Amino acid sequence: MKSHFSALAALSLLAATAASAAPPPLSLERLADDALENDRVAWDFVEGITTEVGPRQAGTEAEARGRDWAVKWLKANGFAGVKVEPYKMQTWVRGEERAEIVGTFAQPMKITALGNTASTGAAGLTAEVAYFPTYADLVAAPAGSLAGKIAFISHDMRPTQDGSGYGFAGPARWTGASLAASKGAVATVIRSIGTENHRTPHTGGTTFAEGVTPTPAGALSNPDADNLERMFARGKPIRMKLTLTPSVLGETDSGNVVAEITGRNPKLPPVLIACHLDSWDLGTGAIDDASGCGIIAAAAKQIARGDRPLRTIRLLFAGAEETGLWGSRAYAAAHRGEAIHAGIESDFGADRIWRFDSNFTQSAPALYQRLAKAVARFGVAPSQEVATGGADLNLARESKSAILDLQQDGTRYFDLHHTPDDTLDKVDPVQLRQNVAVWTQVVGILANEAGAITPGA
Ligand code: ZN
Ligand code: ZN
């Protein structure tokens, strides 16, 4: 009896010991593998903000609701130091938008205004259209040759995995209206900077050079640009009536949302991970860029399930990226002089990461090789490209920090980019989780790297 009791006591003592000892934290590798299979955090963010807030146009009350939502979500998910860092910005909002061919071949077309452009007035504007197949053709047009005309730039974009088509076609949107205006154009229409054939025009910002008065400008959907090209092939003058009534609200409030996973040594320069919280108003900003914010937050949270990282992981959910990088510039100004260990941004949708670039591939080859080896099992290849970071990494660039680009597959990104079709159903949960897995692995290694990283190509 006595010995039986002793055996029972010994057993219960053993059980109590087992219950009180927490299981050892998962290794970084296990956490990354777990994210690949099981992460729900990134999806939760994208699903939540697109459903409960929707479009988040920079400088508007919708963006403010997005900030409030993100602050609550970050706190609920256990992040430290969650706060809004406010700044002021000039805010532009869309109005009515209509385009129609009048006279020969009269018919309506689908158009959307470009950010920062002027209004035609409610009565609209009618003028002859001057056709430029490419941006280079517009560059070659003589000074004054567009007086009183609407310039049509039909520079087209093809899909590529690395998104390089955007750099090729993008100038038509970024500076085409300014260039046409400087040659006398009263307005500009461009072929959408997009790679699909739906009648969903792609919006986006444009910039007028100093001394050039902004004009009305819009993007036609790709099928409408095709149609307009066929009209020009018939050799007759083409006239268009444009009604675009955007307005400038003047200076309004915007802000960046910041949060962190505090490191064991918070005095060391942090790893800065960034995305942008604002979106264009046409869709719900699921791929651009709720997915980016979901990915970086999910990875940081996953890392925090393991051993506390050596360095702080700082999250920047930048505001007002789309209409002119207001948030990134405000963040760089507010934190000028602060050292950054490494900067990475996610702003290219939710499709899988396939390549990994850095600006220290040559100067810190051992670290680059270690990172490359760690992400190889997720199908990510090393490269010799030099990372320059995204729009929201101004601070990392200004402070000449280490920068990494985790390149996502951009093949279908520009089908959806800046259109009403940028919605949750386009996010593939399997590829979204692959992003979280790669980010967990990479950010986890960087946040535990004791030595500074010297960039150098
Ligand atoms: Zn973006
Ligand atoms: Zn965008």
Side-chain angles (χ1 to χ4, degrees), residues 166 173 203-205 276 278-280 287-289 321-322 347 413-414 417-418 422:
Y166 193 51
R173 193 192 83 217
T203 191
H276 67 86
D278 66 308
S279 78
W280 281 108
I287 64 156
D288 187 13
D289 183 28
E321 189 266 355
E322 296 290 8
D347 183 15
Y413 183 66
F414 292 102
H417 185 245
H418 298 180
D422 179 358

mmCIF file of all heavy atoms in Angstrom, residues 166 173 203-205 276 278-280 287-289 321-322 347 413-414 417-418 422, ligand 2:
data_model
loop_
_atom_site.group_PDB
_atom_site.id
_atom_site.type_symbol
_atom_site.label_atom_id
_atom_site.label_comp_id
_atom_site.label_asym_id
_atom_site.label_seq_id
_atom_site.Cartn_x
_atom_site.Cartn_y
_atom_site.Cartn_z
ATOM 1 N N TYR A 166 6.269 47.783 -66.350
ATOM 2 C CA TYR A 166 5.786 49.011 -65.706
ATOM 3 C C TYR A 166 6.796 50.139 -65.895
ATOM 4 O O TYR A 166 6.423 51.270 -66.187
ATOM 5 C CB TYR A 166 5.565 48.733 -64.221
ATOM 6 C CG TYR A 166 4.792 49.784 -63.467
ATOM 7 C CD1 TYR A 166 3.559 50.255 -63.917
ATOM 8 C CD2 TYR A 166 5.273 50.284 -62.255
ATOM 9 C CE1 TYR A 166 2.834 51.194 -63.198
ATOM 10 C CE2 TYR A 166 4.557 51.213 -61.525
ATOM 11 C CZ TYR A 166 3.343 51.675 -61.991
ATOM 12 O OH TYR A 166 2.637 52.599 -61.267
ATOM 13 N N ARG A 173 2.126 57.501 -68.106
ATOM 14 C CA ARG A 173 1.247 57.988 -67.046
ATOM 15 C C ARG A 173 1.957 58.982 -66.138
ATOM 16 O O ARG A 173 1.396 60.014 -65.781
ATOM 17 C CB ARG A 173 0.708 56.833 -66.200
ATOM 18 C CG ARG A 173 -0.440 57.295 -65.304
ATOM 19 C CD ARG A 173 -0.811 56.270 -64.248
ATOM 20 N NE ARG A 173 0.060 56.361 -63.099
ATOM 21 C CZ ARG A 173 0.491 55.326 -62.394
ATOM 22 N NH1 ARG A 173 0.139 54.102 -62.737
ATOM 23 N NH2 ARG A 173 1.279 55.505 -61.366
ATOM 24 N N THR A 203 -6.285 53.758 -62.871
ATOM 25 C CA THR A 203 -5.885 55.088 -62.414
ATOM 26 C C THR A 203 -4.437 55.066 -61.937
ATOM 27 O O THR A 203 -3.715 54.079 -62.136
ATOM 28 C CB THR A 203 -6.855 55.616 -61.325
ATOM 29 O OG1 THR A 203 -6.585 56.992 -61.098
ATOM 30 C CG2 THR A 203 -6.728 54.839 -60.026
ATOM 31 N N GLY A 204 -4.003 56.139 -61.313
ATOM 32 C CA GLY A 204 -2.631 56.261 -60.832
ATOM 33 C C GLY A 204 -2.231 57.718 -60.874
ATOM 34 O O GLY A 204 -2.883 58.528 -61.541
ATOM 35 N N GLY A 205 -1.167 58.032 -60.166
ATOM 36 C CA GLY A 205 -0.757 59.430 -60.074
ATOM 37 C C GLY A 205 -0.005 59.894 -61.305
ATOM 38 O O GLY A 205 0.606 59.103 -62.017
ATOM 39 N N HIS A 276 2.108 50.061 -47.619
ATOM 40 C CA HIS A 276 1.283 51.276 -47.490
ATOM 41 C C HIS A 276 -0.179 50.928 -47.260
ATOM 42 O O HIS A 276 -0.705 49.968 -47.802
ATOM 43 C CB HIS A 276 1.477 52.255 -48.645
ATOM 44 C CG HIS A 276 1.002 51.794 -49.993
ATOM 45 N ND1 HIS A 276 -0.287 51.952 -50.421
ATOM 46 C CD2 HIS A 276 1.663 51.197 -51.019
ATOM 47 C CE1 HIS A 276 -0.403 51.485 -51.662
ATOM 48 N NE2 HIS A 276 0.763 51.007 -52.047
ATOM 49 N N ASP A 278 -2.810 53.246 -47.524
ATOM 50 C CA ASP A 278 -3.783 53.905 -48.405
ATOM 51 C C ASP A 278 -3.952 53.068 -49.677
ATOM 52 O O ASP A 278 -3.130 52.192 -49.971
ATOM 53 C CB ASP A 278 -3.305 55.317 -48.776
ATOM 54 C CG ASP A 278 -2.049 55.299 -49.639
ATOM 55 O OD1 ASP A 278 -1.071 54.634 -49.232
ATOM 56 O OD2 ASP A 278 -2.034 55.923 -50.723
ATOM 57 N N SER A 279 -5.024 53.357 -50.403
ATOM 58 C CA SER A 279 -5.230 52.684 -51.694
ATOM 59 C C SER A 279 -5.925 53.663 -52.629
ATOM 60 O O SER A 279 -6.452 54.686 -52.175
ATOM 61 C CB SER A 279 -6.109 51.440 -51.533
ATOM 62 O OG SER A 279 -7.475 51.809 -51.418
ATOM 63 N N TRP A 280 -5.951 53.343 -53.897
ATOM 64 C CA TRP A 280 -6.809 54.105 -54.799
ATOM 65 C C TRP A 280 -8.258 53.821 -54.438
ATOM 66 O O TRP A 280 -8.566 52.822 -53.771
ATOM 67 C CB TRP A 280 -6.492 53.794 -56.263
ATOM 68 C CG TRP A 280 -5.275 54.550 -56.690
ATOM 69 C CD1 TRP A 280 -4.041 54.043 -56.930
ATOM 70 C CD2 TRP A 280 -5.178 55.977 -56.865
ATOM 71 N NE1 TRP A 280 -3.172 55.061 -57.242
ATOM 72 C CE2 TRP A 280 -3.838 56.248 -57.209
ATOM 73 C CE3 TRP A 280 -6.071 57.043 -56.751
ATOM 74 C CZ2 TRP A 280 -3.375 57.550 -57.451
ATOM 75 C CZ3 TRP A 280 -5.614 58.334 -56.999
ATOM 76 C CH2 TRP A 280 -4.292 58.586 -57.344
ATOM 77 N N ILE A 287 -4.858 43.927 -53.181
ATOM 78 C CA ILE A 287 -3.486 43.592 -53.567
ATOM 79 C C ILE A 287 -2.568 44.797 -53.427
ATOM 80 O O ILE A 287 -1.367 44.630 -53.255
ATOM 81 C CB ILE A 287 -3.396 42.991 -54.996
ATOM 82 C CG1 ILE A 287 -3.829 43.982 -56.069
ATOM 83 C CG2 ILE A 287 -4.183 41.692 -55.103
ATOM 84 C CD1 ILE A 287 -3.224 43.683 -57.427
ATOM 85 N N ASP A 288 -3.098 46.009 -53.521
ATOM 86 C CA ASP A 288 -2.288 47.231 -53.449
ATOM 87 C C ASP A 288 -2.896 48.161 -52.425
ATOM 88 O O ASP A 288 -3.715 48.985 -52.761
ATOM 89 C CB ASP A 288 -2.233 47.874 -54.842
ATOM 90 C CG ASP A 288 -1.270 49.046 -54.904
ATOM 91 O OD1 ASP A 288 -0.480 49.211 -53.962
ATOM 92 O OD2 ASP A 288 -1.315 49.793 -55.913
ATOM 93 N N ASP A 289 -2.500 48.028 -51.157
ATOM 94 C CA ASP A 289 -1.422 47.200 -50.693
ATOM 95 C C ASP A 289 -1.782 46.549 -49.351
ATOM 96 O O ASP A 289 -0.922 46.345 -48.496
ATOM 97 C CB ASP A 289 -0.145 48.049 -50.578
ATOM 98 C CG ASP A 289 1.077 47.236 -50.158
ATOM 99 O OD1 ASP A 289 1.106 46.036 -50.450
ATOM 100 O OD2 ASP A 289 1.965 47.797 -49.519
ATOM 101 N N GLU A 321 0.749 56.805 -50.051
ATOM 102 C CA GLU A 321 1.787 56.439 -51.017
ATOM 103 C C GLU A 321 1.334 56.783 -52.430
ATOM 104 O O GLU A 321 2.075 57.326 -53.231
ATOM 105 C CB GLU A 321 2.092 54.934 -50.912
ATOM 106 C CG GLU A 321 3.300 54.480 -51.725
ATOM 107 C CD GLU A 321 2.958 53.964 -53.117
ATOM 108 O OE1 GLU A 321 1.748 53.867 -53.443
ATOM 109 O OE2 GLU A 321 3.874 53.688 -53.895
ATOM 110 N N GLU A 322 0.065 56.456 -52.716
ATOM 111 C CA GLU A 322 -0.412 56.505 -54.105
ATOM 112 C C GLU A 322 -0.394 57.899 -54.705
ATOM 113 O O GLU A 322 -0.148 58.054 -55.894
ATOM 114 C CB GLU A 322 -1.827 55.934 -54.194
ATOM 115 C CG GLU A 322 -1.936 54.444 -53.837
ATOM 116 C CD GLU A 322 -1.290 53.531 -54.869
ATOM 117 O OE1 GLU A 322 -0.618 54.032 -55.789
ATOM 118 O OE2 GLU A 322 -1.448 52.306 -54.737
ATOM 119 N N ASP A 347 5.054 45.607 -51.528
ATOM 120 C CA ASP A 347 4.065 46.416 -52.247
ATOM 121 C C ASP A 347 3.972 45.956 -53.700
ATOM 122 O O ASP A 347 4.163 46.734 -54.626
ATOM 123 C CB ASP A 347 4.438 47.914 -52.170
ATOM 124 C CG ASP A 347 3.390 48.804 -52.838
ATOM 125 O OD1 ASP A 347 2.266 48.327 -53.093
ATOM 126 O OD2 ASP A 347 3.700 49.977 -53.103
ATOM 127 N N TYR A 413 -0.162 41.041 -61.734
ATOM 128 C CA TYR A 413 -0.348 42.213 -60.867
ATOM 129 C C TYR A 413 -0.945 43.391 -61.632
ATOM 130 O O TYR A 413 -1.870 44.061 -61.158
ATOM 131 C CB TYR A 413 1.001 42.594 -60.239
ATOM 132 C CG TYR A 413 0.955 43.744 -59.272
ATOM 133 C CD1 TYR A 413 0.265 43.633 -58.059
ATOM 134 C CD2 TYR A 413 1.602 44.949 -59.542
ATOM 135 C CE1 TYR A 413 0.230 44.684 -57.159
ATOM 136 C CE2 TYR A 413 1.578 45.998 -58.648
ATOM 137 C CZ TYR A 413 0.883 45.863 -57.460
ATOM 138 O OH TYR A 413 0.861 46.908 -56.573
ATOM 139 N N PHE A 414 -0.439 43.629 -62.830
ATOM 140 C CA PHE A 414 -0.893 44.802 -63.591
ATOM 141 C C PHE A 414 -2.176 44.547 -64.383
ATOM 142 O O PHE A 414 -2.625 45.413 -65.126
ATOM 143 C CB PHE A 414 0.244 45.347 -64.465
ATOM 144 C CG PHE A 414 1.352 45.941 -63.635
ATOM 145 C CD1 PHE A 414 2.524 45.242 -63.412
ATOM 146 C CD2 PHE A 414 1.183 47.176 -63.028
ATOM 147 C CE1 PHE A 414 3.536 45.785 -62.625
ATOM 148 C CE2 PHE A 414 2.185 47.722 -62.226
ATOM 149 C CZ PHE A 414 3.369 47.027 -62.029
ATOM 150 N N HIS A 417 -3.995 46.142 -60.952
ATOM 151 C CA HIS A 417 -3.400 47.335 -60.355
ATOM 152 C C HIS A 417 -4.210 48.605 -60.626
ATOM 153 O O HIS A 417 -4.460 48.959 -61.778
ATOM 154 C CB HIS A 417 -2.004 47.449 -60.991
ATOM 155 C CG HIS A 417 -1.127 48.527 -60.471
ATOM 156 N ND1 HIS A 417 -0.721 49.590 -61.249
ATOM 157 C CD2 HIS A 417 -0.537 48.702 -59.270
ATOM 158 C CE1 HIS A 417 0.099 50.365 -60.545
ATOM 159 N NE2 HIS A 417 0.227 49.853 -59.343
ATOM 160 N N HIS A 418 -4.667 49.262 -59.539
ATOM 161 C CA HIS A 418 -5.345 50.561 -59.635
ATOM 162 C C HIS A 418 -6.663 50.504 -60.413
ATOM 163 O O HIS A 418 -7.043 51.486 -61.055
ATOM 164 C CB HIS A 418 -4.417 51.616 -60.264
ATOM 165 C CG HIS A 418 -3.184 51.886 -59.457
ATOM 166 N ND1 HIS A 418 -2.230 52.794 -59.843
ATOM 167 C CD2 HIS A 418 -2.750 51.367 -58.275
ATOM 168 C CE1 HIS A 418 -1.260 52.821 -58.937
ATOM 169 N NE2 HIS A 418 -1.538 51.952 -57.974
ATOM 170 N N ASP A 422 -9.316 45.440 -58.043
ATOM 171 C CA ASP A 422 -8.375 45.137 -56.956
ATOM 172 C C ASP A 422 -9.186 44.817 -55.698
ATOM 173 O O ASP A 422 -9.451 45.684 -54.859
ATOM 174 C CB ASP A 422 -7.426 46.318 -56.715
ATOM 175 C CG ASP A 422 -6.458 46.038 -55.573
ATOM 176 O OD1 ASP A 422 -6.543 44.957 -54.952
ATOM 177 O OD2 ASP A 422 -5.618 46.915 -55.280
HETATM 178 ZN ZN ZN B 2 -0.416 51.529 -56.307
#
